[in-house]
Each structure stands twice: as structure tokens, then as C-alpha cells.
Amino acid sequence: MAKRQSDGPAKTDIDMTPMIDVTFQLITFFIFTLNFSNAVQDDRVQLPLSQLAKPAEAPADDPITLQLWPDKDGVTKVIYNGEAIRVPDMSGFLEQEKRVLIDAGKEPADAKLIVRGDGRVKTGEVQELIKICQEKGFENFVLRAQYDERK
Amino acid sequence: MADREPLPDKIAIDMTPMIDCVFQLITFFMLTLKTVIPEGDFDIRMPLGASAGAPQEDPPVIVRVKMTAGPDGELAGITMNGSGVGDFEALRQKIIGIVGVNTGPGGAENTEVELDCDYRLKYINVVKAITAVSGMPQPDGTIVELVKKIKFTPPKKPS
């Protein structure tokens, strides 16, 4: 059998231009979709859907986000600064928030409490949390829901 | 003076460092990518003991919406001012029947909805009720606002 003779070039130049084009397109996409917002969103919380829940035009002043979520035993916990706390134990943490506001020359009534409640938690426990907040002087509440894009 | 060496026809630029950097950047952006789901708010102003204040000149018309829960926390029934309502869409229609679609005085402006919910009712139903009473989405994406003032009755813990 005749030996195959290599007659190709010694060095093959691969055209890198399409790959670099695609790569820069990807980088541009990721830069534009980069999210700098410091929105507190815990993935465990399944917010109820609402067609009326359109995003706020401006961020709230002095927001305090309280996220309610049922743990695996069905006990409602408040996710606050990354910790899962039972609703009746929130009083001390809210007292701290109140003191921080007063030290900053503000009133608890100036703050906005954002309640991110999971759709599965008991309404009574959401109300219990709101009641504890009211006892500390907070009175502006925001019930947060996920925008339902279905028509 | 010595003659300059002629330039080669094609200058080969080493692309490897640039491609390395670019892939590092892509990896960083991919790992830090976080999709944010659009969320919206329902504002509720609830000062403690608001009902104990001085009587208002023009007290609002209060519509009482009661929602009862089954043993599993699912919605068992809705009543509005004591009469049964089939579902949340029917509740919205009843609210429209009271306030109309005008938001001025005598309409939604002077109407307040008081939500009375069973303790164990799943919270998703509260958001559905607020959605039903506070607005009506239109096919073109706009929203006709209905009742803005919403309050809750105090929680009643089952004994």
C-alpha cells in the first residue's frame, strides 16, 4: 500500500473572528442584564401572583423587608437578615429597627415595612407580624406580590 | 545608514491572552447572573388603634369581606356584607356595583374594604381578594382603580 503523502500546510490558521464576535456579544448581554439592585429576595418565598402588582416607580425610603415563609414543618418563619425567626420572636428585632430609626432622627412611622409573604403561610400569622410592627409604631405596610403577566 | 528590514506581509497577533480574559469575564457574568422577577406592591396604611380616633366628618362606606378557610387552609367561602360571593371575580363585580368605575367622591374614594380572614386561611387568598377589590385590569394593560383603602380586622387566633 502506498504511503500517504502529507501535502497540507505546516501551520493551519484558524479564523478566530466569528468566535470573538460571538464572545463579545455574550459579554455585552451579560453586562446589560447585570443586576445592581439590592432588592431583598429570598428564593424560598413563593409570592402570590397578582395582575395589579406592578413594580414601584421609585424605591421606598427606609425599607424594612420581612419575608414570611413556611418551613418544612409548616411553621411560619420570618426571614430577617438571613435568619429564620418565629413570628412571636420578632419583637426584639423590630425594637432594634425602631432604635436605629430614632437614632437617625426619624420615626418608625416614616419607615416602610415590606411584607414578602409566601402564599402558603397562614393569614393570621401575617396579621400577627403586622400587629407586632404596629405595637412598635410602624404603620406603613406594603404587601408584596409577584406581577402576573398572564392576560 | 543601514536599510530597515522589510515588514512581513502578515503580522500574527497572539490572541490567546485576550481570549483567556474574555472567557474569564463570561464565566464571571454567568455565575453572577441573577434573574429578578418583577414584583409589585399593595400599600396599606395601618396605624395602631386608628379606629379609636375622632369621628370623621364624612365616614367612609365600609364593605366587609369575610373569607373562611377549610381545615387545610384553602378558601371555603367568601361573603360581602353578609351575602355569599362565588369567587374573586364575582367579588370584583360586586365591588364595581357599589363604587362604579368612577374614583371620585361618592365612589371608590369614600369606600373602605375591611378584610376579615380566618386565621388559618392561606395568605394567597388575601392577595387575591386585595387584587379583586383594588382594581380591574383592562385588555390594553391599563388598570381601572377601584377601592384603595383596605384594612384588616384584628387576627383571631383559634383556641
Side-chain angles (χ1 to χ4, degrees), chain A residues 74-127:
Chain A
V75 178
T76 300
K77 297 276 176 70
V78 181
I79 304 166
Y80 174 78
N81 286 346
E83 284 183 67
I85 301 153
R86 286 177 65 247
V87 173
D89 300 335
M90 277 304 294
S91 184
F93 296 99
L94 289 165
E95 184 65 36
Q96 282 177 18
E97 291 283 0
K98 181 182 168 180
R99 281 189 199 148
V100 168
L101 282 165
I102 290 169
D103 289 346
K106 294 177 181 175
E107 289 294 319
D110 300 332
K112 192 167 260 191
L113 269 100
I114 300 168
V115 179
R116 288 188 83 242
D118 190 297
R120 299 164 294 174
V121 299
K122 291 175 186 163
T123 301
E125 285 176 310
V126 179
Q127 288 183 273

Side-chain angles (χ1 to χ4, degrees), chain A:
Chain A
M1 200 171 91
K3 195 177 175 183
R4 193 176 170 190
Q5 197 176 355
S6 170
D7 53 1
K11 192 180 173 188
T12 311
D13 283 334
I14 302 166
D15 187 6
M16 305 289 274
T17 317
M19 192 196 74
I20 292 166
D21 283 353
V22 170
T23 312
F24 275 100
Q25 294 263 10
L26 276 170
I27 285 189
T28 313
F29 167 76
F30 283 121
I31 287 173
F32 279 112
T33 55
L34 192 64
N35 177 31
F36 288 105
S37 76
N38 56 354
V40 184
Q41 288 185 347
D42 194 292
D43 295 337
R44 290 172 289 184
V45 179
Q46 294 176 18
L47 287 183
L49 295 171
S50 172
Q51 288 181 316
L52 305 187
K54 294 215 168 160
E57 286 170 7
D61 295 329
D62 304 311
I64 300 168
T65 305
L66 304 171
Q67 309 191 72
L68 289 119
W69 157 79
D71 69 4
K72 62 182 189 305
D73 300 320
V75 178
T76 300
K77 297 276 176 70
V78 181
I79 304 166
Y80 174 78
N81 286 346
E83 284 183 67
I85 301 153
R86 286 177 65 247
V87 173
D89 300 335
M90 277 304 294
S91 184
F93 296 99
L94 289 165
E95 184 65 36
Q96 282 177 18
E97 291 283 0
K98 181 182 168 180
R99 281 189 199 148
V100 168
L101 282 165
I102 290 169
D103 289 346
K106 294 177 181 175
E107 289 294 319
D110 300 332
K112 192 167 260 191
L113 269 100
I114 300 168
V115 179
R116 288 188 83 242
D118 190 297
R120 299 164 294 174
V121 299
K122 291 175 186 163
T123 301
E125 285 176 310
V126 179
Q127 288 183 273
E128 294 277 4
L129 179 65
I130 290 173
K131 193 178 160 194
I132 295 169
C133 297
Q134 287 174 321
E135 285 165 0
K136 300 293 174 195
F138 297 101
E139 54 185 60
N140 282 321
F141 296 91
V142 160
L143 303 183
R144 190 153 276 183
Q146 187 181 324
Y147 178 51
D148 186 4
E149 291 172 274
R150 290 173 299 176
K151 294 286 175 194

Side-chain angles (χ1 to χ4, degrees), chain B residues 7-21:
Chain B
L7 288 169
D9 290 341
K10 194 177 175 188
I11 300 166
I13 301 165
D14 188 6
M15 304 290 274
T16 318
M18 191 194 75
I19 292 167
D20 283 353
C21 286

